[in-house]
């Protein structure tokens, strides 16, 4: 088609939610203030060798003390929604017992200010910062942690349910279970296949019990959700062997959460494939039914796709502890071609499109939110003082275009939350990777919107993309 396309707008639905996303440990700082107790990420980041450069979230982007400034930034972007997380050890120190008034006051103030600014708060209950005391009692591999989570969900909803209409139970339980207890690259840094599967199951249970607790407290009409980092995984070739490799990764990466939550059962192939690792006796009658407590939307975090091939018997073993619970014995990851971000993750918006069409087909009645999408790149400081990030703009443009195309094909996508508002503590990478559309100079905490921030404000103002 040779017609000029300049100035064409790919318009999104009128009610589309345009947001930015953050997480408590990555931005708040104030790690020891107002009664907050340590979480597993405090412990992990203070353990030498776990996080690049020994970075911690002690100060992070100091958001705890800069709420007004950060909301003003969002206001200037024109976002309709803001996705943030509550720090469990701030709201309920130690993970048990009564709520901490000062911790709750912080989130009351944050959400009040957001509402005054006309921005809808979208609260995630758990973005990886388990109170250390609960980890000391066994953490997610223990069933008790799921009950503790449900109590915490009730406390949070009692305190904030009058001002937060959208709630997410967990962010990316795959990462909590398989990076936290499988490969050990995330807190609490434990390794092992059986423990990671136990953790995954108890996260599903926690989600379901959390939904029940939220429903019991929240006013009718509140939206309750779950965010998954679904893996867009392709076979290297269209052979049965490589397609079976996809099946295995899909089972332990995606269906281990999707099936309990949306069908009330575990994937049978996963149970079979892991029979030599665990007998799944920690799954009690009614657990998967509890996990299937109905929710109002599904959040998807998407960054890049993966490609896999069958691992030939006798081929080189996967190095080190794996986040794939045994599947790596049969599967190897092959490089996805194309440009890469500063994380070395491939840039491939097609993966997001594929994922959205799959969800359209498999969960046709579930409204979808893109709860995270974005990229880490180096910034260029312009002599004019501008912080330029053209690759991030290109990444975001391509991915929003993929979302638009998926909506056109019938995917029920209701909103998009850009990761991230601010440069922040990027987990095992510390401050070495910048995902923000607002630059943070950590020594001074000075915020400078990058060119991507201006671009995003323009997209929101136009209600779509100009091509
Ligand atoms: C999200 O995690 C987090 O929610 C957010 O806090 C974080 O800052 C952001 O993304 C950027 O990292 O494990 O071999 O399959 C995303 C975590 C990264 C997990 C890509 C899966 C794929 C490599 N995901 N990763 S592998």
């Amino acid at each position: 088609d040779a017609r000029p396309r300049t100035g064409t707008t790919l318009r999104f639905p009128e009610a589309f939610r345009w947001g930015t996303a953050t997480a408590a440990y990555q931005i708040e700082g104030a790690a020891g203030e107002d009664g907050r107790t340590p979480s597993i990420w405090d412990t992990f980041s203070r353990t030498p060798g776990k996080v690049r450069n020994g970075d911690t979230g002690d100060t992070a982007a100091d958001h705890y003390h800069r709420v007004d400034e950060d909301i003003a930034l969002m206001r200037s972007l024109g976002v309709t929604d803001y996705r943030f997380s509550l720090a469990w050890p701030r709201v309920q120190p130690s993970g048990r017992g009564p709520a901490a008034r000062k911790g709750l006051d912080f989130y009351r103030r944050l959400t009040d200010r957001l509402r005054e600014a006309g921005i809808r708060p979208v609260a995630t209950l758990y973005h990886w910062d388990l109170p250390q005391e609960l980890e000391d009692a066994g953490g997610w591999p223990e069933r008790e942690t799921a009950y503790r989570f449900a109590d915490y969900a009730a406390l949070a909803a009692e305190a904030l349910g009058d001002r937060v209409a959208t709630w997410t139970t967990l962010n990316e339980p795959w990462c909590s279970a398989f990076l936290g207890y499988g490969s050990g690259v995330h807190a609490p840094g434990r390794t092992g296949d059986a423990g990671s599967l136990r953790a995954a199951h108890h996260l599903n249970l926690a989600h379901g019990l959390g939904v029940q607790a939220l429903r019991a407290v929240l006013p009718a009409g509140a939206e309750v959700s779950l965010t998954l980092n679904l893996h867009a995984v392709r076979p290297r070739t269209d052979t049965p062997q490589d397609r079976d490799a996809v099946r295995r990764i899909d089972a332990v990466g995606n269906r281990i959460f999707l099936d309990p939550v949306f069908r009330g059962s575990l994937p049978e192939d996963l149970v079979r494939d892991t029979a030599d690792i665990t007998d799944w006796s920690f799954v009690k009658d009614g657990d998967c039914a509890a996990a299937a407590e109905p929710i109002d939307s599904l959040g998807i975090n998407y960054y890049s796709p993966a490609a896999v091939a069958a691992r030939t018997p006798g081929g080189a073993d996967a190095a080190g502890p794996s986040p794939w619970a045994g599947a790596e014995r049969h599967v190897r990851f092959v490089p996805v071609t194309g440009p890469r971000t500063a994380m070395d993750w491939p840039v491939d918006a097609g993966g997001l499109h594929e994922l959205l069409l799959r969800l359209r087909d498999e969960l046709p009645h579930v409204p979808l939110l893109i709860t995270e999408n974005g990229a880490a790149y180096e910034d260029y400081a312009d002599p004019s003082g501008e912080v330029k990030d053209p690759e991030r703009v290109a990444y975001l443009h391509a991915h929003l275009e993929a979302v638009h195309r998926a909506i056109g094909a019938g995917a029920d996508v209701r909103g998009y939350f850009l990761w991230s508002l601010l440069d922040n503590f990027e987990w095992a990478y510390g401050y070495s990777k910048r995902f923000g559309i607002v630059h943070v100079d950590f020594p001074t905490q000075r915020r400078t919107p990058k060119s991507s921030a201006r671009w995003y404000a323009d997209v929101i103002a136009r209600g779509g993309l100009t091509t």
Side-chain angles (χ1 to χ4, degrees):
D1 184 342
R3 279 173 301 174
R5 293 203 173 270
T6 326
T8 307
T9 299
L10 300 179
R11 208 169 287 286
F12 282 69
E14 198 58 51
F16 198 73
R17 298 159 75 167
W18 296 101
T20 49
T22 64
Y25 189 68
Q26 295 182 271
I27 64 165
E28 284 181 359
E33 281 179 49
D34 294 339
R36 181 188 178 283
T37 56
S39 80
I40 54 176
W41 269 98
D42 296 287
T43 308
F44 188 75
S45 65
R46 291 168 189 166
T47 306
K50 298 297 186 187
V51 173
R52 197 173 283 192
N53 303 321
D55 290 342
T56 73
D58 285 357
T59 309
D62 197 32
H63 172 71
Y64 196 74
H65 302 115
R66 291 167 199 268
V67 161
D68 292 339
E69 182 182 358
D70 292 341
I71 291 177
L73 278 168
M74 282 189 269
R75 197 176 187 158
S76 71
L77 295 174
V79 298
T80 62
D81 291 62
Y82 172 51
R83 174 179 184 257
F84 61 97
S85 77
L86 310 183
W88 186 348
R90 215 185 265 299
V91 167
Q92 188 190 37
S94 314
R96 292 185 179 86
R101 190 181 51 79
K102 284 186 171 176
L104 283 174
D105 282 347
F106 170 72
Y107 295 108
R108 285 198 191 98
R109 206 166 72 81
L110 169 66
T111 50
D112 282 348
R113 296 284 176 279
L114 285 167
R115 283 151 55 94
E116 285 158 21
I119 300 169
R120 283 185 295 251
V122 174
T124 297
L125 284 166
Y126 185 71
H127 199 126
W128 306 353
D129 42 1
L130 187 72
Q132 180 62 40
E133 286 192 34
L134 295 186
E135 172 57 25
D136 295 343
W140 287 112
E142 289 306 318
R143 186 175 181 86
E144 180 65 13
T145 306
Y147 297 111
R148 299 282 63 79
F149 176 77
D151 283 357
Y152 156 61
L155 281 185
E158 275 155 16
L160 302 166
D162 59 342
R163 64 200 81 194
V164 177
T166 306
W167 292 78
T168 302
T169 54
L170 309 174
N171 176 71
E172 301 190 351
W174 184 86
C175 293
S176 298
F178 294 99
L179 303 182
Y181 296 89
S183 66
V185 302
H186 279 187
R190 288 161 63 183
T191 55
D193 295 335
S196 65
L197 292 169
R198 288 176 67 105
H201 176 67
H202 295 133
L203 283 152
N204 279 331
L205 181 61
H207 160 74
L209 298 175
V211 175
Q212 289 169 6
L214 291 173
R215 294 281 188 216
V217 174
L218 294 175
E223 178 186 8
V224 177
S225 192
L226 164 70
T227 282
L228 300 176
N229 59 308
L230 294 177
H231 300 263
V233 52
R234 303 169 181 148
R236 186 180 62 117
T237 67
D238 195 31
T239 56
Q241 291 82 357
D242 287 354
R243 278 189 275 116
D244 192 63
V246 168
R247 177 191 63 75
R248 287 176 184 273
I249 295 305
D250 186 47
V252 72
N254 299 330
R255 288 183 283 114
I256 189 172
F257 302 106
L258 288 172
D259 282 15
V261 169
F262 292 104
R263 303 185 204 290
S265 59
L266 278 165
E268 278 172 26
D269 58 335
L270 176 69
V271 174
R272 214 181 325 113
D273 289 345
T274 55
D276 61 332
I277 293 169
T278 176
D279 62 4
W280 293 84
S281 55
F282 49 86
V283 180
K284 305 299 177 199
D285 279 355
D287 283 4
C288 290
E293 188 70 28
I295 53 177
D296 303 302
S297 59
L298 174 66
I300 301 146
N301 294 351
Y302 175 85
Y303 290 90
S304 56
V308 295
R311 182 181 289 280
T312 42
D317 274 345
S322 150
W324 301 108
E328 75 286 351
R329 294 172 297 185
H330 307 272
V331 177
R332 73 196 158 85
F333 283 80
V334 297
V336 174
T337 53
R340 286 173 182 272
T341 71
M343 300 295 283
D344 207 29
W345 297 348
V347 178
D348 186 330
L352 178 56
H353 188 252
E354 291 158 26
L355 207 50
L356 292 173
L357 295 199
R358 172 188 178 174
L359 294 167
R360 172 200 66 183
D361 295 340
E362 292 184 8
L363 301 171
H365 304 300
V366 180
L368 306 173
L369 295 169
I370 311 293
T371 38
E372 288 181 28
N373 175 241
Y377 285 109
E378 311 290 337
D379 301 318
Y380 303 111
D382 202 67
S384 68
E386 255 207 278
V387 183
K388 295 201 167 163
D389 56 347
E391 299 114 314
R392 181 174 289 104
V393 170
Y395 178 100
L396 296 169
H397 187 106
H399 287 73
L400 272 172
E401 195 271 330
V403 174
H404 187 270
R405 228 160 13 96
I407 294 173
D412 188 8
V413 185
R414 305 283 180 94
Y416 176 91
F417 294 76
L418 197 163
W419 185 272
S420 181
L421 175 66
L422 302 171
D423 290 337
N424 61 50
F425 176 81
E426 176 49 33
W427 306 115
Y429 295 86
Y431 300 100
S432 69
K433 303 293 176 196
R434 295 177 176 272
F435 275 88
I437 56 172
V438 174
H439 178 270
V440 177
D441 176 53
F442 291 102
T444 63
Q445 293 296 344
R446 199 179 122 87
R447 276 98 162 112
T448 309
K450 306 179 190 181
S451 43
S452 55
R454 270 180 271 283
W455 171 86
Y456 194 44
D458 189 60
V459 169
I460 296 170
R462 291 171 193 263
L465 295 172
T466 308
T467 55

